[in-house]
Amino acid sequence: MDITARSGLLEAFSRVLGQSGVVRDAADLDRYTAEPRGRYHERPLAVLRPASTQEVAAIVLLCREHGVAIVPQGGNTGLVGGQSIDRPEHEVILSLERMRSIREVDADGASLIAEAGCTLATAQAAAESVGLLFPMSLASEGTATIGGNIATNAGGHLTVRYGNMRRQVLGLEVVLADGRVLDGLTSLRKDNSGYDLNQLFIGSEGTLGIITAASLNLVSMPRQSMTAFIGVHDLPATLTLLRLLRNHLGETVSALELMPRLALDFVLDYLPDAHDPLVRAYPWYLLLQCDTAVAGDWLQDACVQALERAADEGVAADAVVAGDDTRANSLWRLREAISPAQKTGGVSLKHDISVPVATIPEFVAETCAALERQVPGIRPCVFGHIGDGNLHFNLSQPEDMAADAFRALEGDCNRIVFDAVVRHRGSIAAEHGIGRLRAGELARRGDAVRLDLMRRLKRALDPDDLLNPGKVLAPGESG
Ligand SMILES: Cc1cc2nc3c(=O)[nH]c(=O)nc-3n(C[C@H](O)[C@H](O)[C@H](O)COP(=O)(O)OP(=O)(O)OC[C@H]3O[C@@H](n4cnc5c(N)ncnc54)[C@H](O)[C@@H]3O)c2cc1C
């Protein structure tokens, strides 16, 4: 784009959004371009901050007219670069941060309508204000937005009970690539009047439409909660334990988080005031949370009985049950600190994968052995939402290897992990999405029919490749 066309377009953006709606200053751009993994840094032509659905639609029409692509952005906490810029002079970031109101909370219908730029924490608080729960929780919830959560179909530790973001969405308002607004903001629980178009946009990572608001499902607020930290001798025993806990505690099981000893060691180094909850060290740990909306004081006893049974059967080596919220929070803190704590172990190559739960012991053993053959001394730190089969298969550098030498082995490590995932009929992207980071991997490994349908959908909804090009479908794949 030549200089005259460029300044004309920037003036047009300002006319629609006002001066404060257009960010161009280099220092101000940093918070939109610096993403959590530090992989992508390119600057956009501008960051645009619409304050209404109509302004989003007007910006889409302007961008379309000038052939400028749009990268939607919420809280910029995405872990696969979906919110980042690929071609600086030809792309704008459209930030939803000024669209952050809660339009409606319906206690009787157990739903709320949030604008896309609301943080997840704001939506949780709005639900709580009427005594209900929005059943989604991520460590990034103070910054990640409802629009971003829907666009990535986020999961989290409550997914094992309530499902991921897809299960929480009742209706969507979406600005399409041609500037029209799809008004699907229903809170109906039953609506079979044709194709469910919401499902197209959930998990589409900003490539099919710009989500501007969502109607969300709420559930009853828990009245009893219990958290326990359990030591386990091996992964097969962990699976037996999962089965036993589900049999005894049923739908009260709300979170089942796996962590290895290496992760706990990293965390104990990283948090000086934290301590090992159990007297002896174990190879694996399970963090269990149970909740029920039924009033009473029976849940803790039920959990203790289930854990005693697990100990009798030899599947739980030791356990501690949190007696109060403070103790429960300190157990959760150990889990939440794994990602930052892992940095104390040097470079970490990360893989957000899922496999069928029953295959986890075999998958982990086989993959770790292949990695050790390729990179002797590599330190797998495999943790995550074991109840969903979702593992963060993170690999810390060998203690005697330089960081750059380990980084150079990323391709080899990815191949080993993803080959094993495919062999076990798993997914190379469980909850973080494909974004830019895994688009090439999906193009190489994805099912041909599925990829063909995805390309056709993209062409039908966004024929000019205006919305987040190069994300999900690798560059050149969508045309
Ligand atoms: C500390 C930490 C912990 C995390 N824990 C989890 C976890 O447990 N589970 C999990 O699933 N993820 C987790 N994440 C990843 C991240 O928080 C989620 O992917 C989140 O849903 C992204 O929301 P966001 O608003 O930050 O989106 P962004 O990062 O801004 O964008 C992510 C993607 O969504 C698109 N997008 C954003 N808003 C819109 C919109 N309104 N319309 C259309 N497209 C849009 C973007 O283009 C991009 O492709 C974590 C991240 C961090 C930093």
Side-chain angles (χ1 to χ4, degrees):
M1 189 184 310
D2 67 33
I3 292 181
T4 322
R6 194 164 174 264
S7 61
L9 179 60
L10 291 169
E11 274 169 30
F13 287 149
S14 296
R15 276 198 297 280
V16 174
L17 303 177
Q19 292 297 338
S20 64
V22 182
V23 181
R24 293 264 301 142
D25 191 68
D28 296 335
L29 287 177
D30 280 353
R31 76 188 174 89
Y32 303 95
T33 54
E35 48 85 28
R37 290 275 154 89
R39 281 178 182 261
Y40 309 109
H41 311 277
E42 293 84 351
R43 294 205 156 137
L45 183 60
V47 172
L48 307 176
R49 304 166 66 239
S52 68
T53 305
Q54 292 68 31
E55 287 185 2
V56 174
I59 292 299
V60 168
L61 287 177
L62 272 175
C63 287
R64 193 171 169 214
E65 188 187 328
H66 290 83
V68 168
I70 299 170
V71 178
Q73 191 179 96
N76 192 16
T77 67
L79 297 175
V80 288
Q83 72 279 27
S84 69
I85 288 296
D86 201 7
R87 299 171 305 148
E89 278 302 300
H90 303 277
E91 295 180 357
V92 291
I93 287 177
L94 188 146
S95 167
L96 280 296
E97 66 186 346
R98 287 212 289 175
M99 292 189 63
R100 51 170 186 251
S101 57
I102 299 285
R103 291 189 190 165
E104 182 185 309
V105 184
D106 176 359
D108 294 331
S111 65
L112 65 77
I113 295 179
E115 289 190 332
C118 270
T119 64
L120 173 53
T122 304
Q124 291 165 343
E128 212 175 320
S129 71
V130 293
L132 294 171
L133 175 76
F134 181 56
M136 174 64 57
S137 180
L138 318 177
S140 54
E141 63 200 21
T143 312
T145 61
I146 290 300
N149 295 159
I150 295 171
T152 58
N153 187 24
H157 62 257
L158 295 177
T159 302
V160 69
R161 174 155 177 195
Y162 298 102
N164 50 16
M165 199 63 185
R166 192 178 296 283
R167 283 257 303 274
Q168 320 312 330
V169 174
L170 299 173
L172 289 180
E173 179 186 86
V174 183
V175 175
L176 303 174
D178 60 9
R180 286 181 300 164
V181 178
L182 175 68
D183 179 2
L185 265 188
T186 174
S187 57
L188 296 175
R189 310 274 162 170
K190 287 190 158 185
D191 178 9
N192 284 348
S193 58
Y195 303 142
D196 185 349
L197 298 178
N198 291 330
Q199 300 303 324
L200 279 182
F201 299 99
I202 302 169
S204 69
E205 302 185 49
T207 61
L208 299 181
I210 301 168
I211 298 158
T212 46
S215 171
L216 302 170
N217 175 49
L218 307 179
V219 299
S220 302
M221 185 63 91
R223 292 214 175 94
Q224 302 178 64
S225 289
M226 195 285 319
T227 304
F229 191 82
I230 309 161
V232 192
H233 288 302
D234 54 38
L235 282 177
T238 310
L239 288 199
T240 313
L241 178 59
L242 292 192
R243 215 166 32 243
L244 185 148
L245 292 171
R246 281 188 163 129
N247 282 344
H248 284 75
L249 299 167
E251 74 284 353
T252 67
V253 174
S254 317
L256 286 166
E257 296 292 304
L258 177 76
M259 58 195 281
R261 181 68 210 183
L262 178 62
L264 187 58
D265 285 338
F266 282 142
V267 170
L268 295 177
D269 276 353
Y270 176 71
L271 299 174
D273 58 332
H275 62 88
D276 189 337
L278 301 178
V279 178
R280 289 180 42 201
Y282 296 95
W284 295 96
Y285 300 93
L286 197 65
L287 184 60
L288 164 73
Q289 183 177 310
C290 295
D291 302 293
T292 175
V294 180
D297 56 5
W298 47 267
L299 183 62
Q300 180 148 336
D301 288 346
C303 290
V304 169
Q305 276 171 24
L307 290 171
E308 283 171 357
R309 180 79 178 263
D312 291 345
E313 293 186 13
V315 288
D318 195 5
V320 60
V321 173
D324 54 37
D325 285 355
T326 311
R327 192 81 187 101
N329 290 341
S330 70
L331 293 177
W332 270 104
R333 192 165 161 245
L334 299 175
R335 164 64 182 86
E336 303 292 7
I338 296 177
S339 291
Q342 231 198 316
K343 292 188 181 137
T344 61
V347 173
S348 169
L349 306 178
K350 297 172 192 281
H351 309 89
D352 164 45
I353 57 99
S354 63
V355 290
V357 174
T359 70
I360 286 177
E362 186 191 331
F363 167 77
V364 172
E366 173 185 304
T367 312
C368 290
L371 287 162
E372 173 63 28
R373 281 194 296 277
Q374 183 77 25
V375 187
I378 195 167
R379 292 175 298 159
C381 183
V382 181
F383 66 97
H385 318 297
I386 189 172
D388 314 322
N390 177 191
L391 301 175
H392 299 308
F393 211 104
N394 293 358
L395 308 171
S396 284
Q397 73 185 72
E399 280 171 312
D400 57 357
M401 186 180 276
D404 283 347
F406 185 55
R407 265 194 213 98
L409 298 171
E410 181 168 12
D412 293 336
C413 293
N414 288 355
R415 182 180 42 75
I416 289 170
V417 174
F418 293 141
D419 280 354
V421 166
V422 171
R423 264 199 314 281
H424 285 84
R425 297 187 65 78
S427 167
I428 62 165
E431 64 177 7
H432 298 158
I434 292 289
R436 195 166 155 190
L437 184 64
R438 301 292 182 218
E441 205 71 53
L442 181 66
R444 278 188 295 281
R445 295 176 180 276
D447 173 76
V449 176
R450 183 163 175 256
L451 282 171
D452 177 54
L453 288 178
M454 284 169 63
R455 282 186 215 109
R456 285 165 189 255
L457 273 174
K458 173 72 174 166
R459 278 201 295 273
L461 287 174
D462 181 18
D464 300 323
D465 208 10
L466 188 75
L467 299 176
N468 225 356
K471 316 293 168 49
V472 183
L473 293 167
E477 280 278 304
S478 49

